[in-house]
Each structure stands twice: as structure tokens, then as C-alpha cells.
Amino acid sequence: MNKYKARQVHLKTRPKGLPTQEHFEIVNVELPPPRQGEVLIKNNFMSVDPYMRGRMRAEGVYAEPYALNKPMYGGAVGEVIESKADGLKEGDIVLSGGAWQDRLIANSETVTQLTPFDVNRLSLYLGTLGMPGMTAYVGLLKFGEPKEGETVFVSAASGAVGANVCQIAKQIGCRVVGSVGSDDKAQWLLDECKVDEVINYKTCGNLTEALSKAAPNGVDVYFENVGGSHLEAALNQMNHFGRIAACGMISTYNNSDPAPGPNNLMLIVGKKVRINGFIVFDHNDMRAKFLSDMESWVANGEIIVRETVVEGIENSVDAFLALFSGDNFGKMIVKL
Ligand code: NAP
Ligand code: FER
């Protein structure tokens, strides 16, 4: 078998609303051999993440949009199978930005060598021990600033970021209320993650009322993953001097036209609420501490990990789209 043969997923056209298979194309290519300073990587796992939807738009806020007719990119974990770079050798396990392809050539300076905590669980480095886990850690601790006894409300609570937020907040001694879109996810959060209350936003009726029942003492920290009616309900229930860690607003990512905002933003003033947007990539100074804390929490079972694993690059677009229908349970991983 020719080790330079690779399959890539390209963005063919820019989606307006929810993307479909027609916006993407699987392309077979033959890679050039690595040059000095480069490595050939065979990916074991790639990540699909909500932020990728933003990069499919022509205009970017902080990052370059994906180019058309080129492989998209994002987190991937793989093995070096040929090296022309000092410091990396065949068999090394690396984290790269080379998602959406099963093999790639990368400059060694753009990849991070991993010392895997468990070689049989490499996908952890795309989830709890990777970007989404660090998002939970940074967002909650640095921007939510939860204190023991406070109430933390988490939307998309069973997801890659949310499930880690819930569990870290429980460790601190907070009362945690999650919101999810299915009863199975709700039960898992209650039983396995020891979350105090879970709302199924699809069946609860009025979300503000459901939140006021689940959080009778109000909300001190809202970890915002969803936006729209979740933000509105959270603002209604926020306590004075509450904090909102604004991580994402997935309910808006496929809107072709901007949707109207929450109708109660003035509550930010009277309640003196602090809202902090943040992007995990700005906080690499916290990576070493995050990794040592999180690896020990996973090792001793203090943090439980759930993943949905989809096999094959040909199913990667479906895996990505599942993020918007809620068909992932925990971190969505593509096994290559
Ligand atoms: P995830 O939660 O693992 O997957 C997405 C989940 O969002 C789905 O499973 C679904 O769960 C929920 N969802 C999708 N559409 C929804 C809608 N219209 N209304 C309510 N819920 C909806 O994804 P993730 O990777 O952890 O990302 C979660 C959030 O964090 C996203 O907003 C993402 O953009 C953000 N994020 C931000 C950063 C940063 O640096 N700021 C980094 C990583 C992620 P249900 O079944 O519960 O509906
Ligand atoms: C994400 C959502 C949005 C994310 C990054 C962004 C890393 C960035 C948004 C922007 O540039 O406006 O999940 O994860």
C-alpha cells in the first residue's frame, strides 16, 4: 500500500443554513514525501467541533475562514509514519491541526508531541484532555469564578464542553443545573456526573419557569453554550453580580439571517451581571495546569468521559452535522 495516499474532506460551497453533504467532497490525493522539517502523519482520530461551522462562512471574526476546495482543518491525533524533522521520529504520537484527512504532511513546529496518559485512549486528547476540556476548565474557573455553594447553570450540559463544566463545578461544591435535549442525557448527568438538576429543554415547556424550579436560589454562574432562549431564561434567573461565561451559542450557528436577541438584556444592568466572552486558544498559559489537573481527575475517576465514536472519514460530515441535531452524546469523535 502506498503510504502517501490520503483522503481529505474539502469544503466545496459555503452553506447558508444547515450544511448538507452537497457542501462537501471527499478527495483522494497523493501526498508529496516530507521535506526537511516535515513529518508524514497517519491520523487515528479527528475531531468535529461546532466552531467549524463558523469557519465555513466567508467572513471570520478571529480566524481565517476555510478555503474552498482545500481540506478543512481542526484537531486530530495521529502517529508519525515518516520523519524528516529533528525531535520527531516514526511512532511518535502527535496532536495536529490536521483533521478532515486521514494522512497529512505537517511542519513539525505546528504539531504537539503527546505523552499519552493511556495509549488506548488517544481520543481523550480531542475531548476532555484537549480543546473542549480546556474550554470547560478555563471558561468556568477563569470567567465563571464559581464559589462553593453557588448555583451553576450549564447549557448543552452533556456535551464535550458541558459535561466537563458540570463535573468541575461539582468538585468545587456548587449546585449544578444542566440543560439538555434528551431524557437519556439528563439521566446520565444525574446518575454518573452527580449533577443536581437537569432540564430537558425540548419537553420542559417554559424554560424560565423550569429553571426557577431547578435553581430556587437563582443562578450565580451561567456557562453559555447555546444562546437564544437559554440566554433569556438564564438572565431572568441570574442573581445580582452573577457571571456569564459566554463560550458559544450553538443554536444560532446555522441561522441564515440573524435571529432577534433575548428580550431582557437590560437585566444585565440592574443585576450587575458580568458577561465574558472567551476563546480557549487565547489561554495557552493555562494549558500545563489544565492538563495535569485533568489527567489526574480522569485517572482517579473524578471526571467521567463520554464519547460518541463514528468510524471512517466518509462519515465525518454526518458526525459534524450530528452536533446540530444533538445526535452526539458527549464528545463526538471520528475514528479514522
Ligand atoms: P457538544 O455540546 O458536544 O455538541 C453540541 C450539542 O449542542 C448537541 O449535542 C446538542 O445537545 C446541543 N445543541 C445543538 N443545537 C442546539 C440548539 N439549537 N439548542 C440547544 N442545544 C443545541 O459541543 P461542544 O464541542 O461541547 O461545544 C459546546 C459549545 O461550546 C458550542 O457553543 C461551541 O461553539 C462552544 N465552544 C467554544 C469554545 C471557545 O473557545 N469559546 C471552545 C469549544 C467549544 P442537546 O441534545 O443537549 O440539544
Ligand atoms: C467555538 C465557537 C466560536 C470556538 C471558537 C469560536 C474554539 C470562535 C468564534 C469567532 O471567531 O467568532 O466553539 O471554539
Side-chain angles (χ1 to χ4, degrees), residues 49-52 54-55 60-63 131 135 161 247-249 253 278-281:
D49 296 280
Y51 76 84
M52 293 170 169
R55 297 213 177 154
V61 177
Y62 89 106
M131 185 279 281
T135 301
V161 175
C247 174
M249 300 195 180
Y253 294 178
F278 70 98
I279 297 286
V280 63
F281 303 129

Side-chain angles (χ1 to χ4, degrees), residues 49-51 131 135 156 159-162 179-181 185 201 225-226 230 247-251 253 278-280 323-324 326 328 330:
D49 296 280
Y51 76 84
M131 185 279 281
T135 301
V161 175
S179 162
V180 292
K185 292 177 177 181
Y201 69 87
N225 284 322
V226 166
H230 274 82
C247 174
M249 300 195 180
I250 195 168
S251 73
Y253 294 178
F278 70 98
I279 297 286
V280 63
L323 299 172
F324 302 102
N328 65 309

Side-chain angles (χ1 to χ4, degrees), residues 41 43 74-78 94-99 101 104 106 110-112 114 126:
I41 300 168
N43 279 336
V77 174
V94 289
L95 176 70
S96 79
Q101 43 204 329
L104 70 146
T110 66
V111 311
T112 306
L114 295 174
L126 301 175

Side-chain angles (χ1 to χ4, degrees), residues 187-331:
Q187 206 58 52
W188 177 74
L189 284 173
L190 292 167
D191 294 346
E192 306 287 330
C193 302
K194 310 298 175 212
V195 162
D196 298 281
E197 296 281 341
V198 186
I199 298 167
N200 179 338
Y201 69 87
K202 289 186 180 161
T203 57
C204 72
N206 182 297
L207 193 52
T208 295
E209 280 172 24
L211 184 56
S212 84
K213 287 203 187 93
N217 298 326
V219 171
D220 300 294
V221 177
Y222 173 42
F223 196 100
E224 165 68 304
N225 284 322
V226 166
S229 55
H230 274 82
L231 178 56
E232 194 171 295
L235 283 170
N236 284 332
Q237 295 311 124
M238 288 307 287
N239 288 330
H240 287 221
F241 298 105
R243 286 84 65 199
I244 299 181
C247 174
M249 300 195 180
I250 195 168
S251 73
T252 69
Y253 294 178
N254 291 304
N255 289 349
S256 39
D257 297 307
N263 61 17
N264 57 352
L265 290 177
M266 184 55 194
L267 288 174
I268 297 166
V269 177
K271 293 184 173 185
K272 294 136 307 200
V273 170
R274 188 182 79 194
I275 304 188
N276 248 119
F278 70 98
I279 297 286
V280 63
F281 303 129
D282 293 331
H283 300 279
N284 283 332
D285 56 315
M286 291 176 76
R287 184 166 186 274
K289 175 88 168 75
F290 150 74
L291 205 53
S292 78
D293 281 352
M294 206 60 140
E295 280 184 343
S296 69
W297 294 338
V298 171
N300 68 22
E302 264 181 89
I303 294 267
I304 290 175
V305 176
R306 180 131 193 172
E307 294 176 338
T308 300
V309 181
V310 166
E311 294 216 13
I313 197 163
E314 63 281 7
N315 294 315
S316 53
V317 170
D318 283 342
F320 170 68
L321 295 176
L323 299 172
F324 302 102
S325 58
D327 285 341
N328 65 309
F329 195 151
K331 173 65 192 148

